[in-house]
Each structure stands twice: as structure tokens, then as C-alpha cells.
Amino acid sequence: MLTESITTEAANDGIDKVTEAVRKAMRDVLKPAEDRLAKLSAKTAVAAATAMYLNVQTIADMGKNDAVELYQEARKKAAAYLKERDDEE
């Protein structure tokens, strides 16, 4: 019984060490891709915000007094569009 218990405990310790090594290896492999995706998302957000504010300014420059209202309506339409399912995909 003692030998079996020691064998089982050693196996469990080995599994824990292997699991830890696999997790570390996966983190090391995935980290660069995660960082790249985060940077791309940040750049996209900045570009989108810049475009949004330029559009509002352009609408205001065209003499429309309700530029903010137009922006809010466009935002609602964009949100509805993003919620739609595309059955072709």
C-alpha cells in the first residue's frame, strides 16, 4: 500500500509539473499574438474615434446645427447594424 501511495503521489506531482510546463509554453507562444492583437485594437479604436470626430466637425462646418444629434442617430444605426446576423457567413 505504501509503495502504491508513493507511486500515485509521484505521478500526481509529475502531472502537475507537466501541466505547469505546458501552460508556460503556451503562454510564451501566445503572448506575442495577444500583444499584437491588443495593439491593433488600440490603433483601430483611435482611428475610429478620429473619424467620428472629423465627421461631426464636417457636418457642423456644412452648416448643420444638429451635428451631435446626427451623430447620435448614426451611432444607434451602427449599433443596430452590428447586432444584425449575417446569414451568408
Side-chain angles (χ1 to χ4, degrees), residues 3-62:
T3 303
E4 185 180 323
S5 175
I6 291 172
T7 303
T8 302
E9 187 174 327
N12 287 337
D13 287 345
I15 288 173
D16 291 342
K17 291 191 187 313
V18 168
T19 301
E20 183 180 327
V22 168
R23 286 183 178 157
K24 183 183 180 323
M26 292 301 295
R27 276 193 301 269
D28 291 346
V29 168
L30 293 176
K31 184 68 173 152
E34 289 174 1
D35 290 346
R36 180 70 178 139
L37 288 172
K39 287 177 185 177
L40 287 172
S41 292
K43 286 182 178 184
T44 301
V46 170
T50 301
M52 176 188 68
Y53 284 109
L54 284 172
N55 283 334
V56 170
Q57 185 63 50
T58 301
I59 291 168
D61 289 348
M62 290 174 46

Side-chain angles (χ1 to χ4, degrees), residues 67-85:
V68 174
E69 184 179 319
L70 289 170
Y71 158 76
Q72 290 171 342
E73 185 63 30
R75 184 176 167 95
K76 288 178 189 173
K77 288 180 180 180
Y81 172 75
L82 292 173
K83 290 179 183 177
E84 287 179 8
R85 283 189 53 139

